């Protein structure tokens, strides 16, 4: 016999590092949103126990299984090659600027960094940390870039709202200077 | 020239370690313990140009943006040197020529700080480990395929995506260019022109064949010459004229 | 806090479909054979509980994690759903490059895609969508990969001739740019 809890855990397990949406979980397990919520809480509780190696990573509308932080050293001993994405300082800064100003064009990123970013933007696109989302309605119709779910996952946050707060006064200056225009960012 | 700051500190830092001219400037400002709101433009410009020159002497490729910043600094410096009309001296409308650069530096610095926080978040997240999704066997996939989920169109689409990516990765317009001219060479060029004529019109230093590098570097050299009080610049009508300053005892 | 039991489970989990040897487990966890045996028994017991989705698949010297048989229908439902990316875009692209350029080495695939493909190639091998076919006669003797009959079957074609015709010129350019060399492909 397997319980509902085991069913839930099995689906999250199977989806691996892709993660699974709450919608899929509801429909596959034939649960209402509130029933799923209750079961998810139960799962979180069971993972708290010291005999469980797991924790849940939640981002956007997805959930994924991962091993607990305390097991990092042991697991790194097993995984000889570290295949995790390593970001250079340049990539990190570019990503930060895109995250806080999305959607943003490459030239607008260049303006803030004071240097050409096209190579870095290409690399971030290949790593699926950013994606294009339409074109800006200005002459030349430059591409607009936004961050992806992979971005949220990399930094362990559920949504962009969880990004560290930035000094608003400075951001305001920036908007006055016309360096960047943001549509959905205050 | 007396070493007013310890060059070796900076020369140990390769220009590639800087994320662009703004970071280099922030580094110099911090090192000189200057207030970012009250940058000593002359001092920082000298340090900046010296650093670029040292890097250039080491045959390091320097991105064009670094030179654009150099000319920007020179321009701010020259604006600061312009005599301010006493009447508007106390006017609130007075705009500090440094303002725009300070804003740019502050904004850049802010993102730089936040990116450090993000780095820590990334490091924390990287301690969690997940595995690949569990895969159906190929037999199962073939079984599932009654809805033609895996039509050959998928291959065509994948191929198109590959081609798109290859195209978008094609070399973009080179941002790293070898600077063909040096401030020193162009100073010699300007002084040479001034040794043949008493007064030279600014525009005549350039002709149609002069490229941007030539113009920018010549302009930089001119600012240096003015600073060193070897050349003075005057304006007649709309035109700028250069004249050699003859010091006592010379010629 | 995590217990020894959680440590053991985390290592088996992280080894994924490759599984992990008892020797590796002993040495990584610094346990004697008998200590490991005892702990393995404890793990088997805990998997018996109805709240656990897992079971152990044990071979002569290896162990790997699997989901309980009772969960098969549920999991099959997920694998058949649109959300389950049985073949990710990455996998599809890698497969496409191999299909058109076979036999091809992994490094040559990397050159075209611009990113490391080793993980994807491993997965495609496990799924029997590609297979190795000898070694390339260049320094290092890298393995050559070709697509399998399963590949044809999955996409519903009888032979490689039925692959969509692609713009040869682009492919040629691609080979020049990407520095790939293929021996039997025109």
């Amino acid at each position: 016999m397997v319980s509902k809890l085991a069913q839930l855990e099995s689906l999250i397990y199977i989806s691996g590092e892709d993660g699974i949406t709450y919608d899929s979980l509801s429909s596959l397990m034939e649960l209402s949103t509130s029933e799923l919520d209750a079961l998810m809480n139960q799962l979180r509780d069971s993972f708290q126990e010291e005999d469980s190696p797991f924790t849940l990573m939640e981002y956007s509308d997805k959930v994924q299984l991962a091993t607990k932080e305390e097991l990092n050293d042991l697991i790194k001993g097993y995984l000889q090659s570290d295949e995790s994405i390593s970001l250079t300082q340049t990539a990190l800064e570019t990503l930060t600027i895109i995250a806080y100003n999305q959607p943003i064009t490459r030239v607008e990123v260049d303006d803030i960094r004071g240097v050409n970013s096209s190579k870095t933007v290409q690399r971030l696109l290949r790593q699926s940390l950013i994606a294009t989302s339409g074109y800006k309605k200005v002459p030349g119709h430059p591409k607009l870039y936004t961050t992806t779910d992979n971005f949220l996952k990399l930094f362990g946050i559920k949504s962009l709202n969880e990004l560290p707060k930035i000094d608003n006064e400075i951001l305001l200056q920036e908007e006055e200077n016309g360096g960047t225009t943001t549509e959905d960012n205050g | 020239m007396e070493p007013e700051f310890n060059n070796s500190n900076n020369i140990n830092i390769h220009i590639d370690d800087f994320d662009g001219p703004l970071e280099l400037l922030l580094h110099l400002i911090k090192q000189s313990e200057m207030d970012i709101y009250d940058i000593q433009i002359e001092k920082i410009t000298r340090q900046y140009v010296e650093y670029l020159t040292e890097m250039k002497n080491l045959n390091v490729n320097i991105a064009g943006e670094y030179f654009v910043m150099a000319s920007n600094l020179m321009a701010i410096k020259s604006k600061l040197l312009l005599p301010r009309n006493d009447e508007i001296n106390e006017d609130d409308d007075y705009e500090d020529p440094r303002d725009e650069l300070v804003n740019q530096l502050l904004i850049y610095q802010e993102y730089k700080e936040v990116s450090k926080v993000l780095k820590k978040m990334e490091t924390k997240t990287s301690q969690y480990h997940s595995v690949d999704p569990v895969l159906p066997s190929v037999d199962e996939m073939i079984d599932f395929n009654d809805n033609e989920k895996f039509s050959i169109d998928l291959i065509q689409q994948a191929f198109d995506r590959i081609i798109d990516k290859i195209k978008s990765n094609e070399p973009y317009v080179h941002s790293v260019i070898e600077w063909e001219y040096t401030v020193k060479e162009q100073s010699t060029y300007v002084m040479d022109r001034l040794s043949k004529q008493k007064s030279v019109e600014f525009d005549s230093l350039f002709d149609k064949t002069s490229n941007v590098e030539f113009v920018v570097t010549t302009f930089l050299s001119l600012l240096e010459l003015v600073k060193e009080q070897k050349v003075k610049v005057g304006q007649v009508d709309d035109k700028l004229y250069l004249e050699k300053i003859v010091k006592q005892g010379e010629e």
Side-chain angles (χ1 to χ4, degrees), chain A, chain B:
Chain A
M1 267 303 294
V2 286
S3 65
K4 281 273 170 198
L5 196 66
Q7 290 185 14
L8 178 66
E9 190 175 342
S10 76
L11 286 173
I12 302 176
Y13 161 74
I14 287 290
S15 71
E17 61 186 9
D18 290 341
I20 187 166
T21 62
Y22 298 108
D23 281 353
S24 282
L25 289 171
S26 293
S27 75
L28 287 163
M29 295 185 62
E30 295 169 21
L31 291 175
S32 71
T33 314
S34 58
E35 283 169 335
L36 178 63
D37 276 353
L39 208 58
M40 284 293 301
N41 280 331
Q42 218 181 311
L43 190 64
R44 274 184 211 103
D45 285 348
S46 79
F47 284 173
Q48 295 283 328
E49 285 171 34
E50 63 164 28
D51 276 352
S52 171
F54 298 120
T55 183
L56 289 174
M57 284 173 70
E58 302 183 59
Y59 52 93
S60 197
D61 56 347
K62 279 181 167 180
V63 57
Q64 124 182 17
L65 207 60
T67 52
K68 285 179 179 157
E69 215 179 324
E70 299 97 303
L71 293 161
N72 184 39
D73 286 343
L74 179 70
I75 287 167
K76 265 164 81 182
Y78 168 73
L79 300 169
Q80 275 132 7
S81 68
D82 191 11
E83 292 209 10
S84 62
I85 303 176
S86 93
L87 289 176
T88 61
Q89 193 209 335
T90 301
L92 196 66
E93 281 177 22
T94 306
L95 201 52
T96 306
I97 290 167
I98 295 173
Y100 282 93
N101 296 282
Q102 56 189 302
I104 185 172
T105 68
R106 209 255 299 143
V107 171
E108 289 165 347
V109 176
D110 290 357
D111 281 345
I112 297 176
R113 288 188 56 226
V115 77
N116 187 301
S117 312
S118 40
K119 264 190 177 163
T120 314
V121 165
Q122 285 308 321
R123 200 178 321 124
L124 293 172
L125 277 171
R126 273 209 306 266
Q127 291 177 318
S128 301
L129 291 170
I130 60 170
T132 54
S133 71
Y135 298 85
K136 186 161 182 169
K137 286 182 188 113
V138 295
H141 293 274
K143 281 182 190 164
L144 285 164
Y145 298 101
T146 53
T147 54
T148 61
D149 279 359
N150 250 353
F151 166 85
L152 297 177
K153 204 158 131 176
L154 185 66
F155 295 101
I157 54 175
K158 267 189 185 174
S159 78
L160 292 173
N161 296 331
E162 289 179 30
L163 282 174
K165 291 283 167 284
I166 197 164
D167 189 335
N168 274 324
E169 212 171 298
I170 288 170
L171 206 69
L172 229 83
Q173 277 178 335
E174 171 190 339
E175 278 166 12
E176 279 165 19
N177 288 345
T180 61
T181 54
T182 53
E183 279 160 18
D184 59 351
N185 206 357
Chain B
M1 196 180 287
E2 304 91 355
E4 281 209 12
F5 73 107
N6 191 357
N7 262 330
S8 58
N9 278 347
N10 290 311
I11 298 315
N12 286 335
I13 307 174
H14 195 279
I15 198 152
D16 288 349
D17 294 332
F18 291 109
D19 198 43
L22 291 172
E23 193 181 19
L24 172 55
L25 261 186
L26 282 175
H27 170 78
L28 294 174
I29 288 167
K30 199 174 162 197
Q31 186 180 260
S32 309
E33 295 176 350
M34 270 183 214
D35 179 358
I36 194 164
Y37 292 97
D38 187 22
I39 302 169
Q40 300 160 45
I41 289 290
E42 191 179 340
K43 189 174 173 191
I44 217 72
T45 304
R46 188 168 59 245
Q47 292 181 1
Y48 185 92
V49 172
E50 273 174 23
Y51 180 77
L52 286 197
T53 309
E54 288 292 340
M55 277 295 140
K56 198 168 161 47
N57 290 344
L58 294 170
N59 283 322
V60 172
N61 267 333
I62 301 170
E65 287 96 337
Y66 283 94
F67 293 99
V68 173
M69 178 58 79
S71 64
N72 191 11
L73 286 170
M74 299 280 192
I76 295 169
K77 197 173 89 179
S78 61
K79 275 187 200 160
L80 285 169
L81 289 173
L82 287 179
R84 265 158 59 189
N85 199 327
D86 282 342
E87 289 149 44
I88 59 163
N89 207 1
E90 300 300 320
D91 199 319
D92 284 340
D93 286 347
Y94 171 71
E95 250 187 60
D96 192 321
R98 299 172 296 182
D99 279 356
E100 203 183 319
L101 178 67
V102 171
N103 274 345
Q104 212 184 351
L105 285 170
L106 285 174
I107 290 164
Y108 177 69
Q109 191 175 245
E110 179 73 13
Y111 285 116
K112 219 173 143 50
E113 287 306 312
V114 179
S115 76
K116 283 181 198 156
V117 180
L118 285 174
K119 178 75 202 166
K120 279 186 197 145
M121 290 162 68
E122 186 214 342
T123 308
K124 187 173 158 62
T125 314
S126 72
Q127 298 182 329
Y128 300 104
H129 301 274
S130 294
V131 292
D132 287 342
V134 173
L135 299 170
S137 73
V138 76
D139 289 337
E140 276 174 319
M141 277 199 283
I142 293 165
D143 275 352
F144 299 164
N145 205 15
D146 37 9
N147 54 352
E148 302 215 323
K149 198 166 153 190
F150 294 105
S151 85
I152 199 73
D153 292 346
L154 281 178
I155 296 286
Q156 179 74 58
Q157 287 158 16
F159 185 79
D160 292 343
R161 272 203 308 276
I162 295 162
I163 296 301
D164 280 353
K165 277 190 203 164
I166 288 171
K167 281 186 178 158
S168 70
N169 281 337
E170 272 166 10
Y172 59 99
V173 183
H174 237 19
S175 71
V176 179
I177 43 171
E178 182 55 40
W179 211 250
E180 281 180 58
Y181 306 92
T182 66
V183 171
K184 207 173 165 189
E185 283 165 13
Q186 292 316 99
S187 297
T188 313
Y189 163 73
V190 172
M191 291 311 283
D192 193 44
R193 288 288 300 270
L194 282 170
S195 67
K196 289 167 188 159
Q197 270 171 283
K198 189 174 182 296
S199 150
V200 170
E201 195 196 331
F202 177 72
D203 287 357
S204 76
L205 291 173
F206 317 108
D207 59 33
K208 279 178 190 163
T209 62
S210 306
N211 61 19
V212 179
E213 294 171 39
F214 183 88
V215 175
V216 171
T217 320
T218 307
F219 181 66
L220 291 181
S221 72
L222 190 60
L223 290 168
E224 278 298 297
L225 290 170
V226 171
K227 190 189 85 184
E228 290 166 18
Q229 301 198 330
K230 286 181 178 161
V231 168
K232 63 180 175 185
V233 180
Q235 189 176 357
V236 180
D237 296 331
D238 281 346
K239 289 175 177 171
L240 286 175
Y241 290 92
L242 318 177
E243 240 174 80
K244 197 168 164 183
I245 297 174
V246 184
K247 286 179 188 154
Q248 281 194 332
E250 283 182 32
E251 286 191 58

